[in-house]
Amino acid sequence: MRIAVLGTGMVGRAIAARLAELGHEVVMGTRDATATRAGDWTDWATAHPQVGLAGYADATTDAELVVNATSGDGSLPALTAAGEENLAGKVLLDIANPLDFGNGFPPTLSVLNDDSLAERIQRAFPRTRVVKALNTLTADLMTHPRQLADGDHSVFVSGDDPEAKKLVSELLTSFGHTDVIDLGDITTARGTEMLLPIWLRLYGRLGTPLFNLKVIR
Amino acid sequence: MRIAVLGTGMVGRAIAARLAELGHEVVMGTRDATATRAGDWTDWATAHPQVGLAGYADATTDAELVVNATSGDGSLPALTAAGEENLAGKVLLDIANPLDFGNGFPPTLSVLNDDSLAERIQRAFPRTRVVKALNTLTADLMTHPRQLADGDHSVFVSGDDPEAKKLVSELLTSFGHTDVIDLGDITTARGTEMLLPIWLRLYGRLGTPLFNLKVIR
């Protein structure tokens, strides 16, 4: 599949590398490709020669699936730069969390309770099929879940489009996830985004991000 | 131990019955004992003759441990009625969730993000040793966790007083809990109270409240 991964931080790199490893054609999208190349990009790019880099719009144009791996604050600007027309009809896997570091650590959430970042994105891009997923665990476990308890832990999908959720669920299964729970429509992303506060405290308590939740039932 | 359980709803009854079963001396506290007795109390009370019933203040006076099993909205009024002096120095196990049903189902939270119900209670009763726990699972699993996966799932404690958390953790272990995670100070209750949104969606999705989260690490 041709996939655009928007965002060149830790999450974007982990997702892009894993997708390329699985044989997908991956282009990463960034605000300013020249600026990204001038940063710490070279070492990573050398290790992942199959992954392309382009501006948000160029990366998105030919993609069949788009992954939002930008920051919470950066999501709407990045998607706007990618272009409403470029995103129309496409599945958007939204991994971002609306973290607000304005009051120090641990961050609070800038959208929550009766709204979510995923819903904001869906409202702003009504022709795009938004699926929230993978925002509840660390990048290394998003992409290589079998390293923890042989994958015996849960991830969630939220979205209004059943076909889009099916595509994302299959992608997660190809990563090694064994328990993908379809929570329901896009408003259920409130539930997974509001997992961040306990995730952050567990991270502090356990001293490692290599943990995840399993829904025991 | 002499224990006061404030709140005579489903959670209060489950906790009181379990505590009595384990040999504790239990009095349930209610706003108006006469009104409670006029409701559906008789059948339950007949089945649990060891459990007493009294007004909030009378129930709390001689208690060594107090359990807040009132509703989120009702918590501060109930504790105020119990009396600051009666609660001073005591451990308060706070199980309540600040659910707001004003906008229908699923409810939102009335306190969250940079505050929590547990913190409000701790601020209102500074001489009381508040421990948040058990608010993340259904009453029947709070009290009889072994019925699900032989107890292989997690519960959390949050509080500023290590001794109080130890006492509550031991109580949870006596219920059958096998994985009690101390998240840290009382502000970490934000994390567990903000689990409610995903809990409510999982309840809808799974069609049963008999599930819980396990922290896989």
mmCIF file of all heavy atoms in Angstrom, chain B residues 43-74:
data_model
loop_
_atom_site.group_PDB
_atom_site.id
_atom_site.type_symbol
_atom_site.label_atom_id
_atom_site.label_comp_id
_atom_site.label_asym_id
_atom_site.label_seq_id
_atom_site.Cartn_x
_atom_site.Cartn_y
_atom_site.Cartn_z
ATOM 1 N N ASP B 43 -35.227 -5.975 52.081
ATOM 2 C CA ASP B 43 -34.763 -7.262 51.550
ATOM 3 C C ASP B 43 -33.256 -7.402 51.713
ATOM 4 O O ASP B 43 -32.749 -8.446 52.133
ATOM 5 C CB ASP B 43 -35.120 -7.389 50.058
ATOM 6 C CG ASP B 43 -36.611 -7.641 49.872
ATOM 7 O OD1 ASP B 43 -37.324 -7.789 50.897
ATOM 8 O OD2 ASP B 43 -37.070 -7.671 48.717
ATOM 9 N N TRP B 44 -32.554 -6.333 51.344
ATOM 10 C CA TRP B 44 -31.098 -6.391 51.437
ATOM 11 C C TRP B 44 -30.658 -6.543 52.896
ATOM 12 O O TRP B 44 -29.778 -7.348 53.224
ATOM 13 C CB TRP B 44 -30.472 -5.136 50.808
ATOM 14 C CG TRP B 44 -28.986 -5.269 50.623
ATOM 15 C CD1 TRP B 44 -28.331 -5.827 49.568
ATOM 16 C CD2 TRP B 44 -27.968 -4.898 51.564
ATOM 17 N NE1 TRP B 44 -26.975 -5.817 49.777
ATOM 18 C CE2 TRP B 44 -26.726 -5.251 50.990
ATOM 19 C CE3 TRP B 44 -27.974 -4.299 52.819
ATOM 20 C CZ2 TRP B 44 -25.507 -5.028 51.644
ATOM 21 C CZ3 TRP B 44 -26.763 -4.072 53.473
ATOM 22 C CH2 TRP B 44 -25.537 -4.440 52.875
ATOM 23 N N ALA B 45 -31.286 -5.754 53.761
ATOM 24 C CA ALA B 45 -30.922 -5.779 55.188
ATOM 25 C C ALA B 45 -31.214 -7.143 55.812
ATOM 26 O O ALA B 45 -30.439 -7.632 56.644
ATOM 27 C CB ALA B 45 -31.681 -4.681 55.930
ATOM 28 N N THR B 46 -32.280 -7.779 55.384
ATOM 29 C CA THR B 46 -32.622 -9.106 55.898
ATOM 30 C C THR B 46 -31.544 -10.122 55.507
ATOM 31 O O THR B 46 -31.182 -10.999 56.290
ATOM 32 C CB THR B 46 -33.995 -9.549 55.334
ATOM 33 O OG1 THR B 46 -34.950 -8.533 55.652
ATOM 34 C CG2 THR B 46 -34.442 -10.868 55.940
ATOM 35 N N ALA B 47 -31.011 -9.955 54.293
ATOM 36 C CA ALA B 47 -29.962 -10.860 53.817
ATOM 37 C C ALA B 47 -28.600 -10.554 54.446
ATOM 38 O O ALA B 47 -27.680 -11.371 54.378
ATOM 39 C CB ALA B 47 -29.871 -10.797 52.296
ATOM 40 N N HIS B 48 -28.466 -9.367 55.017
ATOM 41 C CA HIS B 48 -27.180 -8.957 55.609
ATOM 42 C C HIS B 48 -27.407 -8.398 57.012
ATOM 43 O O HIS B 48 -27.190 -7.206 57.264
ATOM 44 C CB HIS B 48 -26.494 -7.909 54.715
ATOM 45 C CG HIS B 48 -26.266 -8.393 53.329
ATOM 46 N ND1 HIS B 48 -27.188 -8.272 52.321
ATOM 47 C CD2 HIS B 48 -25.207 -9.061 52.774
ATOM 48 C CE1 HIS B 48 -26.713 -8.814 51.211
ATOM 49 N NE2 HIS B 48 -25.521 -9.301 51.453
ATOM 50 N N PRO B 49 -27.832 -9.262 57.933
ATOM 51 C CA PRO B 49 -28.222 -8.793 59.271
ATOM 52 C C PRO B 49 -27.068 -8.207 60.090
ATOM 53 O O PRO B 49 -27.311 -7.442 61.027
ATOM 54 C CB PRO B 49 -28.772 -10.068 59.935
ATOM 55 C CG PRO B 49 -28.150 -11.199 59.180
ATOM 56 C CD PRO B 49 -27.992 -10.714 57.774
ATOM 57 N N GLN B 50 -25.811 -8.528 59.703
ATOM 58 C CA GLN B 50 -24.675 -7.995 60.476
ATOM 59 C C GLN B 50 -24.387 -6.533 60.166
ATOM 60 O O GLN B 50 -23.629 -5.889 60.876
ATOM 61 C CB GLN B 50 -23.379 -8.766 60.200
ATOM 62 C CG GLN B 50 -23.500 -10.227 59.806
ATOM 63 C CD GLN B 50 -23.685 -10.400 58.291
ATOM 64 O OE1 GLN B 50 -24.613 -9.840 57.686
ATOM 65 N NE2 GLN B 50 -22.807 -11.194 57.693
ATOM 66 N N VAL B 51 -24.939 -6.041 59.037
ATOM 67 C CA VAL B 51 -24.605 -4.666 58.618
ATOM 68 C C VAL B 51 -25.590 -3.671 59.217
ATOM 69 O O VAL B 51 -26.801 -3.796 59.035
ATOM 70 C CB VAL B 51 -24.623 -4.557 57.072
ATOM 71 C CG1 VAL B 51 -24.366 -3.113 56.637
ATOM 72 C CG2 VAL B 51 -23.585 -5.497 56.455
ATOM 73 N N GLY B 52 -25.059 -2.678 59.917
ATOM 74 C CA GLY B 52 -25.909 -1.654 60.519
ATOM 75 C C GLY B 52 -26.247 -0.528 59.557
ATOM 76 O O GLY B 52 -25.672 -0.434 58.462
ATOM 77 N N LEU B 53 -27.156 0.311 59.937
ATOM 78 C CA LEU B 53 -27.516 1.486 59.143
ATOM 79 C C LEU B 53 -27.700 2.667 60.085
ATOM 80 O O LEU B 53 -28.332 2.548 61.130
ATOM 81 C CB LEU B 53 -28.818 1.232 58.367
ATOM 82 C CG LEU B 53 -29.295 2.413 57.477
ATOM 83 C CD1 LEU B 53 -28.375 2.583 56.264
ATOM 84 C CD2 LEU B 53 -30.741 2.194 57.009
ATOM 85 N N ALA B 54 -27.136 3.807 59.694
ATOM 86 C CA ALA B 54 -27.248 5.011 60.525
ATOM 87 C C ALA B 54 -27.093 6.240 59.637
ATOM 88 O O ALA B 54 -26.770 6.120 58.453
ATOM 89 C CB ALA B 54 -26.166 5.000 61.596
ATOM 90 N N GLY B 55 -27.331 7.411 60.197
ATOM 91 C CA GLY B 55 -27.062 8.648 59.472
ATOM 92 C C GLY B 55 -25.559 8.767 59.228
ATOM 93 O O GLY B 55 -24.756 8.070 59.860
ATOM 94 N N TYR B 56 -25.164 9.651 58.299
ATOM 95 C CA TYR B 56 -23.739 9.767 57.951
ATOM 96 C C TYR B 56 -22.851 9.993 59.178
ATOM 97 O O TYR B 56 -21.819 9.354 59.337
ATOM 98 C CB TYR B 56 -23.537 10.915 56.955
ATOM 99 C CG TYR B 56 -24.008 10.618 55.542
ATOM 100 C CD1 TYR B 56 -24.818 11.532 54.859
ATOM 101 C CD2 TYR B 56 -23.629 9.451 54.887
ATOM 102 C CE1 TYR B 56 -25.227 11.279 53.542
ATOM 103 C CE2 TYR B 56 -24.043 9.191 53.584
ATOM 104 C CZ TYR B 56 -24.838 10.111 52.916
ATOM 105 O OH TYR B 56 -25.241 9.863 51.641
ATOM 106 N N ALA B 57 -23.266 10.920 60.045
ATOM 107 C CA ALA B 57 -22.418 11.259 61.189
ATOM 108 C C ALA B 57 -22.336 10.103 62.180
ATOM 109 O O ALA B 57 -21.243 9.717 62.609
ATOM 110 C CB ALA B 57 -22.939 12.525 61.871
ATOM 111 N N ASP B 58 -23.479 9.512 62.521
ATOM 112 C CA ASP B 58 -23.479 8.406 63.477
ATOM 113 C C ASP B 58 -22.675 7.216 62.957
ATOM 114 O O ASP B 58 -21.994 6.539 63.726
ATOM 115 C CB ASP B 58 -24.923 7.956 63.766
ATOM 116 C CG ASP B 58 -25.655 8.962 64.649
ATOM 117 O OD1 ASP B 58 -24.978 9.811 65.280
ATOM 118 O OD2 ASP B 58 -26.902 8.907 64.702
ATOM 119 N N ALA B 59 -22.788 6.955 61.658
ATOM 120 C CA ALA B 59 -22.048 5.824 61.086
ATOM 121 C C ALA B 59 -20.541 6.053 61.175
ATOM 122 O O ALA B 59 -19.758 5.110 61.348
ATOM 123 C CB ALA B 59 -22.461 5.612 59.632
ATOM 124 N N THR B 60 -20.132 7.315 61.058
ATOM 125 C CA THR B 60 -18.707 7.642 60.949
ATOM 126 C C THR B 60 -18.005 7.767 62.304
ATOM 127 O O THR B 60 -16.809 7.476 62.423
ATOM 128 C CB THR B 60 -18.552 8.955 60.147
ATOM 129 O OG1 THR B 60 -19.243 8.816 58.902
ATOM 130 C CG2 THR B 60 -17.101 9.282 59.876
ATOM 131 N N THR B 61 -18.740 8.193 63.335
ATOM 132 C CA THR B 61 -18.126 8.523 64.633
ATOM 133 C C THR B 61 -17.106 7.495 65.120
ATOM 134 O O THR B 61 -15.966 7.841 65.414
ATOM 135 C CB THR B 61 -19.219 8.682 65.721
ATOM 136 O OG1 THR B 61 -20.248 9.518 65.199
ATOM 137 C CG2 THR B 61 -18.642 9.292 66.984
ATOM 138 N N ASP B 62 -17.507 6.222 65.186
ATOM 139 C CA ASP B 62 -16.634 5.204 65.778
ATOM 140 C C ASP B 62 -15.827 4.421 64.758
ATOM 141 O O ASP B 62 -15.144 3.453 65.117
ATOM 142 C CB ASP B 62 -17.482 4.218 66.601
ATOM 143 C CG ASP B 62 -18.098 4.902 67.814
ATOM 144 O OD1 ASP B 62 -17.459 5.822 68.357
ATOM 145 O OD2 ASP B 62 -19.221 4.504 68.205
ATOM 146 N N ALA B 63 -15.930 4.783 63.471
ATOM 147 C CA ALA B 63 -15.259 4.004 62.432
ATOM 148 C C ALA B 63 -13.748 4.210 62.462
ATOM 149 O O ALA B 63 -13.262 5.292 62.792
ATOM 150 C CB ALA B 63 -15.803 4.386 61.065
ATOM 151 N N GLU B 64 -13.022 3.156 62.106
ATOM 152 C CA GLU B 64 -11.564 3.277 61.943
ATOM 153 C C GLU B 64 -11.236 3.577 60.476
ATOM 154 O O GLU B 64 -10.238 4.215 60.164
ATOM 155 C CB GLU B 64 -10.893 1.968 62.365
ATOM 156 C CG GLU B 64 -11.060 1.666 63.844
ATOM 157 C CD GLU B 64 -10.817 0.188 64.145
ATOM 158 O OE1 GLU B 64 -11.769 -0.614 64.000
ATOM 159 O OE2 GLU B 64 -9.678 -0.160 64.510
ATOM 160 N N LEU B 65 -12.082 3.073 59.594
ATOM 161 C CA LEU B 65 -11.936 3.314 58.157
ATOM 162 C C LEU B 65 -13.292 3.747 57.617
ATOM 163 O O LEU B 65 -14.326 3.209 58.031
ATOM 164 C CB LEU B 65 -11.513 2.007 57.453
ATOM 165 C CG LEU B 65 -11.555 1.992 55.919
ATOM 166 C CD1 LEU B 65 -10.434 2.834 55.312
ATOM 167 C CD2 LEU B 65 -11.448 0.547 55.385
ATOM 168 N N VAL B 66 -13.296 4.742 56.723
ATOM 169 C CA VAL B 66 -14.542 5.217 56.117
ATOM 170 C C VAL B 66 -14.439 4.997 54.605
ATOM 171 O O VAL B 66 -13.404 5.272 53.994
ATOM 172 C CB VAL B 66 -14.770 6.714 56.423
ATOM 173 C CG1 VAL B 66 -16.080 7.203 55.799
ATOM 174 C CG2 VAL B 66 -14.764 6.958 57.928
ATOM 175 N N VAL B 67 -15.504 4.471 54.026
ATOM 176 C CA VAL B 67 -15.546 4.239 52.580
ATOM 177 C C VAL B 67 -16.552 5.207 51.959
ATOM 178 O O VAL B 67 -17.709 5.244 52.383
ATOM 179 C CB VAL B 67 -15.969 2.783 52.264
ATOM 180 C CG1 VAL B 67 -16.032 2.567 50.745
ATOM 181 C CG2 VAL B 67 -15.019 1.790 52.916
ATOM 182 N N ASN B 68 -16.107 5.983 50.962
ATOM 183 C CA ASN B 68 -17.040 6.849 50.246
ATOM 184 C C ASN B 68 -17.568 6.113 49.023
ATOM 185 O O ASN B 68 -16.895 6.012 48.003
ATOM 186 C CB ASN B 68 -16.360 8.151 49.816
ATOM 187 C CG ASN B 68 -17.295 9.003 48.971
ATOM 188 O OD1 ASN B 68 -18.514 8.969 49.137
ATOM 189 N ND2 ASN B 68 -16.734 9.762 48.043
ATOM 190 N N ALA B 69 -18.798 5.619 49.147
ATOM 191 C CA ALA B 69 -19.450 4.921 48.031
ATOM 192 C C ALA B 69 -20.702 5.688 47.612
ATOM 193 O O ALA B 69 -21.661 5.101 47.121
ATOM 194 C CB ALA B 69 -19.795 3.499 48.437
ATOM 195 N N THR B 70 -20.655 6.990 47.795
ATOM 196 C CA THR B 70 -21.768 7.837 47.340
ATOM 197 C C THR B 70 -21.527 8.206 45.874
ATOM 198 O O THR B 70 -20.495 7.869 45.297
ATOM 199 C CB THR B 70 -21.861 9.125 48.188
ATOM 200 O OG1 THR B 70 -20.688 9.915 47.972
ATOM 201 C CG2 THR B 70 -21.985 8.802 49.673
ATOM 202 N N SER B 71 -22.476 8.913 45.279
ATOM 203 C CA SER B 71 -22.296 9.359 43.897
ATOM 204 C C SER B 71 -21.275 10.500 43.856
ATOM 205 O O SER B 71 -20.971 11.099 44.899
ATOM 206 C CB SER B 71 -23.628 9.843 43.340
ATOM 207 O OG SER B 71 -24.007 11.034 44.002
ATOM 208 N N GLY B 72 -20.777 10.807 42.674
ATOM 209 C CA GLY B 72 -19.832 11.907 42.548
ATOM 210 C C GLY B 72 -20.392 13.219 43.075
ATOM 211 O O GLY B 72 -19.768 13.897 43.896
ATOM 212 N N ASP B 73 -21.586 13.548 42.642
ATOM 213 C CA ASP B 73 -22.255 14.770 43.107
ATOM 214 C C ASP B 73 -22.518 14.758 44.604
ATOM 215 O O ASP B 73 -22.490 15.799 45.252
ATOM 216 C CB ASP B 73 -23.639 14.905 42.438
ATOM 217 C CG ASP B 73 -23.531 15.474 41.044
ATOM 218 O OD1 ASP B 73 -22.403 15.800 40.637
ATOM 219 O OD2 ASP B 73 -24.578 15.579 40.371
ATOM 220 N N GLY B 74 -22.809 13.561 45.128
ATOM 221 C CA GLY B 74 -23.204 13.464 46.528
ATOM 222 C C GLY B 74 -22.052 13.375 47.498
ATOM 223 O O GLY B 74 -22.255 13.441 48.717
#
